[in-house]
Amino acid sequence: MKSFRDALLLQRLRLSRADVVAAIGATDQPPAPKTLRELADLQLVIMATEGAIADKSDPVFLRKFETEAA
């Protein structure tokens, strides 16, 4: 159940990233520097979430994490 929820979350993040790119390309004006900075911050969050989801699907990582947490 948890991995299914994570997969749905990852799909939403990928869609939102595509939406951001489409929105930038829809205008003739270049994005403002502040907007670019916000998009860069958003990209870091998305990449971190994708990494966390990938870690959760790795049984060796999960076993090591649970052992260290205990």
Side-chain angles (χ1 to χ4, degrees):
M1 181 71 174
K2 192 173 185 180
S3 61
F4 181 71
R5 180 185 53 115
D6 291 343
L8 288 176
L9 177 62
L10 186 57
Q11 285 178 335
R12 287 186 192 144
L13 290 173
R14 284 186 177 153
L15 287 175
S16 69
R17 190 170 20 187
D19 291 341
V20 167
V21 171
I24 289 174
T27 180
D28 293 336
Q29 300 295 323
K34 181 181 177 191
T35 302
L36 290 175
R37 175 65 182 183
E38 290 171 351
L39 291 174
D41 291 344
L42 177 62
Q43 179 66 23
L44 290 174
V45 171
I46 290 171
M47 290 170 56
T49 304
E50 288 174 341
I53 291 170
D55 287 343
K56 286 182 180 180
S57 64
D58 182 3
V60 174
F61 175 84
L62 276 179
R63 197 173 319 117
K64 182 179 177 186
F65 179 78
E66 289 171 353
T67 302
E68 290 177 5

